[in-house]
């Protein structure tokens, strides 16, 4: 049995009793990577030498003091858009192929304080733009449940590495579903926290008003532990919220009696696969048995979320990605006579197709004469979408629906038309526009492929989201199934 | 009617500092036209009296104390620069 089948709380006890060492856990990671990474291809960079040195140092320290932090010694994988001091960070883009950051993202500093061990950097869609990892500038990550299928995206490597048992847990980032959708496709637990709960300092920005870092784990309790470690105010991020981080673990008591659940009819409509609809209805029955009640509601502006999202996120991206100009870091074209030509060729050669398409869309939407018609219009519709959620949350504790309209699809299935690929995120995008927290937990299988249940909460009410997710998880066994590799 | 012309696409590419080929200009015109046409469904909504949302938090004008701090060490900063000379980042000619 893999050590990673233990929960964090169990591993902590084993480490405390010295039944296992940190080095054993790190060995487990690299051993498994040696066995399955050829098939899964989740990692862009491995940090084995450092990880083993860190493990040894932590083991020696424990001999003196015993483990302190709950996450002490646990092997973690990091999405490659989080900067790690001295460790290559590419955002899966050729333009950053040889970039070695000179500082740590705030979440990485926090993980170091918590004494986790970084195993390596995980594949993603280039600059987090995509839903399948097919937009990575380097490699395709495969879904551990079916190697012919995508792991989802953009945090595909983060979800696949956890599902494949290569790391105990990982960090991803979510701009329009990029944690929840791959978590759903790979049968693991993925949380997108409230906008502002986790510092974005050191997250390579895609769409600054939507991006949020979050944990991907094998179970809900582990997820709550990892979020506890990375959440909290940070003066280095001006959009970081000054809120206290509550004790999420204390909310995992299984008590959802009297809880009121809203089920948006728009989330179970056309385009949602029949098996997924059935698994969500089954999940609602489970939650009812545990004492919750549910009613159908409407989020009437849902159908406008996709267009709103692509205008806003691409506009923000076109500004954020202006910094990749071949001057201070990253790739520079060797064939340029003057500065403007250098910018243009560097960016043309360094960025992939999808990234260029979105920079173009965003630049157009922000350009003179079109700003009001597209960008500002989308910002106004964003207000309407946010108000949809606020109205529902006046009467209900959580919103429940599927995470995705279909299970994991095959490579190449959605690449011909950008709009078909974008439609994949239709159930996750409204959550980012509203800034509320949401989790995806395993809730069934369709022909051997995992399905995800999405639970959405009020701003900064991760506790209730976790409480419901945990109660559901404890009453079902979907999360215990492992892919065969 | 097409929402965006090939000429506009080339202009936007210039604004975005992206070199594009003739074939890419054609393809992008077609793809952006489709995406923009799709996005125009937002016009179904009357938003005359709706305030725009830039981001969801109630935070405004975050200021920090204005105090002098040491910058990053020069050798560290130059480590990632594609080209540098005499402690400075080097770029191709700006003025003819």
């Amino acid at each position: 049995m893999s050590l990673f089948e233990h929960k964090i709380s169990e591993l902590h006890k084993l480490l405390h009793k010295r039944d296992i060492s940190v080095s054993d856990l790190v060995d487990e990671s690299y051993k498994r990577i040696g066995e399955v990474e050829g098939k899964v291809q989740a990692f862009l960079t491995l940090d084995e030498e450092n990880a083993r040195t860190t493990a040894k140092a932590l083991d020696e320290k424990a001999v003196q003091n015993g483990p302190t932090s709950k996450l002490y010694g646990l092997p973690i994988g990091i999405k490659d858009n989080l900067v790690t001091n001295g460790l290559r960070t590419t955002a899966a883009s050729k333009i950053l192929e040889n970039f070695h950051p000179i500082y740590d993202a705030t979440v990485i500093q926090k993980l170091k304080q918590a004494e986790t061990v970084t195993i390596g950097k995980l594949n993603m869609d280039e600059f987090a733009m995509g839903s399948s990892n097919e937009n990575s500038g380097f490699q395709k990550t495969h879904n551990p449940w079916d190697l012919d299928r995508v792991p989802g995206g953009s945090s595909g490597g983060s979800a696949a590495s956890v599902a494949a048992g290569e790391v105990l847990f990982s960090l991803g980032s979510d701009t329009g579903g990029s944690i929840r959708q791959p978590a759903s496709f790979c049968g693991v637990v993925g949380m997108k926290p409230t906008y502002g709960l986790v510092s974005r300092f050191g997250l390579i920005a895609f769409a600054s008003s939507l991006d949020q870092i979050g944990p991907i784990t094998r179970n809900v309790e582990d997820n709550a532990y990892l979020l506890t470690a990375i959440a909290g105010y940070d003066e280095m991020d001006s959009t970081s919220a000054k809120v206290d981080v509550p004790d999420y673990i204390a909310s995992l008591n299984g008590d959802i009696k009297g809880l009121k659940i809203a089920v948006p009819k728009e989330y179970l409509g056309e385009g949602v696969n029949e098996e997924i609809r059935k698994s969500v209805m089954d999940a609602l029955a489970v939650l009812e048995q545990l004492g919750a009640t549910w009613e159908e509601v409407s989020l009437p502006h849902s159908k406008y979320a996709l267009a709103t999202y692509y205008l806003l996120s691409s506009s923000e991206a076109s500004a954020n990605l202006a910094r990749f100009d071949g001057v201070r870091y990253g790739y520079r074209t060797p064939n340029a006579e003057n500065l403007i030509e250098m910018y243009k060729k560097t960016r043309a050669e360094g960025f992939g197709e999808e990234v260029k398409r979105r920079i173009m869309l965003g630049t157009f939407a922000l350009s003179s004469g079109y700003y009001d018609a597209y960008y500002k219009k989308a910002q106004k519709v964003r207000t309407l979408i946010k108000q949809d959620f606020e109205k529902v949350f006046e009467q209900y504790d959580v919103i429940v629906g599927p995470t995705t309209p279909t299970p994991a699809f095959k490579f190449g299935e959605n690449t011909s038309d950008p709009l078909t690929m974008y439609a994949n995120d239709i159930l996750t995008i409204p959550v980012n526009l509203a800034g509320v927290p949401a989790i995806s937990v395993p809730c069934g299988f369709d022909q051997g492929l995992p399905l995800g249940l999405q639970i959405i909460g009020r701003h900064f009410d991760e506790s209730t989201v976790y409480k419901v997710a945990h109660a559901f998880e404890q009453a079902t066994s979907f999360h215990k199934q492992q892919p065969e590799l | 009617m097409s929402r965006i012309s090939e000429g506009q696409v080339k202009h936007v590419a210039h604004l975005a500092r992206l070199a594009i080929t003739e074939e890419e200009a054609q393809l992008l015109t077609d793809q952006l036209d489709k995406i923009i046409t799709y996005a125009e469904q937002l016009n179904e909504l009357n938003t005359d009296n709706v305030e725009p949302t830039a981001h969801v938090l109630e935070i405004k004008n975050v200021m920090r104390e204005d105090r002098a701090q040491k910058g990053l060490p020069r050798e560290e900063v130059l480590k990632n620069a594609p080209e540098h000379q005499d402690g400075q980042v080097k770029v191709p000619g700006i003025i003819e």
Side-chain angles (χ1 to χ4, degrees):
Chain A
M1 176 182 140
S2 164
L3 284 172
F4 300 158
E5 284 172 43
H6 292 289
K7 297 195 296 183
I8 287 176
S9 53
E10 293 163 356
L11 288 172
H12 188 71
K13 276 184 203 144
L14 291 170
L15 285 162
H16 199 77
K17 287 193 290 181
R18 301 204 189 118
D19 287 348
I20 58 166
S21 67
V22 178
S23 296
D24 292 338
L25 287 167
V26 170
D27 284 345
E28 177 90 41
S29 243
Y30 289 110
K31 193 179 124 239
R32 183 68 176 161
I33 288 169
E35 288 163 6
V36 302
E37 180 60 8
K39 296 179 195 167
V40 181
Q41 296 181 53
F43 284 91
L44 290 174
T45 309
L46 291 170
D47 198 22
E48 185 163 356
E49 212 184 304
N50 262 324
R52 290 192 188 278
T53 313
T54 308
K56 240 181 233 163
L58 288 174
D59 279 330
E60 278 162 25
K61 195 180 152 202
V63 171
Q64 291 158 12
N65 308 321
T68 43
S69 150
K70 205 74 184 184
L71 302 189
Y72 163 88
L74 303 180
I76 191 163
I78 306 292
K79 188 177 181 180
D80 208 27
N81 58 353
L82 290 161
V83 300
T84 41
N85 194 358
L87 179 60
R88 189 175 83 120
T89 301
T90 69
S93 180
K94 289 256 192 297
I95 211 159
L96 286 176
E97 187 161 10
N98 298 308
F99 178 58
H100 288 79
I102 55 176
Y103 67 98
D104 277 324
T106 296
V107 291
I108 303 298
Q109 289 173 30
K110 286 184 174 238
L111 288 179
K112 282 184 177 168
Q113 278 160 22
E115 300 180 310
T116 62
V117 183
T118 297
I119 296 301
K121 302 299 290 288
L122 293 159
N123 195 28
M124 53 186 282
D125 288 291
E126 183 179 4
F127 287 108
M129 297 177 191
S131 313
S132 67
N133 273 32
E134 288 165 291
N135 295 339
S136 165
F138 302 110
Q139 67 198 35
K140 282 180 186 150
T141 296
H142 297 255
N143 191 315
W145 292 90
D146 178 350
L147 297 170
D148 293 332
R149 290 175 191 268
V150 304
S154 65
S155 311
S158 300
S161 61
V162 173
E166 296 180 307
V167 286
L168 178 68
F169 51 11
S170 67
L171 287 186
S173 70
D174 190 316
T175 306
S178 281
I179 287 174
R180 290 159 287 154
Q181 185 252 23
S184 167
F185 279 12
C186 292
V188 292
V189 178
M191 172 69 133
K192 185 213 79 88
T194 306
Y195 182 79
L197 182 71
V198 179
S199 167
R200 293 183 296 107
F201 180 68
L203 168 67
I204 297 175
F206 158 19
S208 308
S209 81
L210 302 161
D211 297 342
Q212 190 61 190
I213 301 164
I216 296 178
T217 57
R218 288 190 169 207
N219 59 67
V220 175
E221 188 183 295
D222 287 4
N223 205 282
Y225 275 120
L226 184 51
L227 182 61
T228 305
I230 61 169
Y233 174 73
D234 176 20
E235 65 170 13
M236 298 303 280
D237 173 2
S238 63
T239 59
S240 169
K242 283 186 179 158
V243 290
D244 291 327
V245 180
D247 183 354
Y248 300 126
I249 300 299
S251 66
L252 308 181
N253 55 14
D255 179 15
I256 58 165
K257 273 202 190 68
L259 185 107
K260 291 164 93 177
I261 300 171
V263 180
K265 62 178 185 200
E266 292 83 4
Y267 285 27
L268 291 169
E270 230 177 286
V272 175
N273 160 311
E274 198 45 51
E275 278 304 310
I276 291 186
R277 200 179 316 205
K278 203 174 142 283
S279 75
V280 171
M281 297 319 286
D282 290 348
L284 288 168
V286 169
L287 294 170
E288 255 184 332
Q289 274 168 11
L290 294 169
T293 56
W294 69 272
E295 282 177 315
E296 196 175 273
V297 298
S298 175
L299 296 169
H301 297 95
S302 296
K303 71 172 206 170
Y304 301 104
L306 200 59
T308 304
Y309 172 82
Y310 277 94
L311 287 172
L312 294 179
S313 64
S314 302
S315 298
E316 293 184 23
S318 74
N320 277 324
L321 270 59
R323 61 171 63 98
F324 302 102
D325 56 7
V327 174
R328 293 152 299 159
Y329 43 75
Y331 172 79
R332 179 190 290 187
T333 183
N335 335 295
E337 299 291 320
N338 59 53
L339 188 67
I340 296 283
E341 193 188 356
M342 188 280 279
Y343 289 151
K344 287 188 176 179
K345 284 191 176 169
T346 292
R347 290 162 63 79
E349 292 161 20
F351 289 137
E353 249 179 72
E354 179 65 24
V355 171
K356 285 193 254 190
R357 185 156 47 234
R358 296 206 201 180
I359 290 175
M360 288 289 291
L361 175 64
T363 307
F364 172 73
L366 290 175
S367 66
S368 166
Y370 297 95
Y371 179 89
D372 283 346
Y374 296 108
Y375 182 70
K376 201 162 179 197
K377 181 78 186 182
Q379 280 192 318
K380 287 181 167 190
V381 179
R382 182 176 184 180
T383 303
L384 298 174
I385 291 165
K386 193 179 152 223
Q387 287 169 350
D388 281 356
F389 280 91
E390 285 165 358
K391 271 181 210 142
V392 169
F393 282 130
E394 279 170 17
Q395 291 183 55
Y396 299 90
D397 300 303
V398 290
I399 295 171
V400 166
T403 307
T404 60
T406 69
F409 46 88
K410 289 191 169 161
F411 288 101
E413 211 172 289
N414 287 330
T415 42
S416 56
D417 179 2
L419 282 171
T420 332
M421 184 66 99
Y422 296 171
N424 230 284
D425 300 325
I426 202 144
L427 303 171
T428 46
I429 275 172
V431 166
N432 297 75
L433 292 169
V436 290
I439 201 168
S440 178
V441 287
C443 72
F445 290 88
D446 179 12
Q447 293 168 32
L449 299 169
L451 309 176
L453 183 74
Q454 185 173 212
I455 302 162
I456 307 167
R458 298 187 182 104
H459 281 130
F460 299 109
D461 193 14
E462 279 76 6
S463 293
T464 304
V465 174
Y466 276 138
K467 184 200 286 271
V468 179
H470 180 256
F472 175 73
E473 178 190 77
Q474 294 308 301
T476 54
S477 59
F478 306 115
H479 67 291
K480 288 183 183 150
Q481 301 203 34
Q482 307 286 332
E484 276 174 40
L485 273 164
Chain B
M1 193 193 82
S2 172
R3 295 321 194 257
I4 185 166
S5 69
E6 216 175 296
Q8 274 174 302
V9 165
K10 286 178 182 171
H11 173 64
V12 171
H14 170 70
L15 292 176
R17 299 292 184 265
L18 283 169
I20 55 169
T21 62
E22 285 298 323
E23 293 81 50
E24 283 171 324
Q26 272 172 27
L27 185 68
L28 277 167
T29 306
D30 182 48
Q31 289 179 335
L32 289 180
D33 188 58
K34 272 192 197 148
I35 297 172
I36 294 162
T37 304
Y38 176 76
E40 281 184 356
Q41 61 170 297
L42 299 188
N43 295 335
E44 293 167 15
L45 294 168
N46 182 334
T47 52
D48 288 349
N49 299 310
V50 180
E51 286 295 312
T53 296
H55 74 102
V56 296
L57 299 177
E58 306 268 322
I59 305 174
K60 269 181 192 153
N61 296 339
V62 180
M63 303 294 209
R64 63 171 168 75
E65 209 187 316
D66 187 17
R67 56 174 196 267
Q69 288 180 55
K70 270 212 150 133
L72 295 161
R74 186 173 288 221
E75 20 344 320
E76 285 281 291
V77 172
L78 291 174
K79 230 168 49 183
N80 280 296
E83 209 180 335
H84 61 92
Q85 190 182 317
D86 305 330
Q88 303 188 51
V89 171
K90 192 176 176 187
V91 293
I94 299 173
I95 303 163
E96 305 250 318

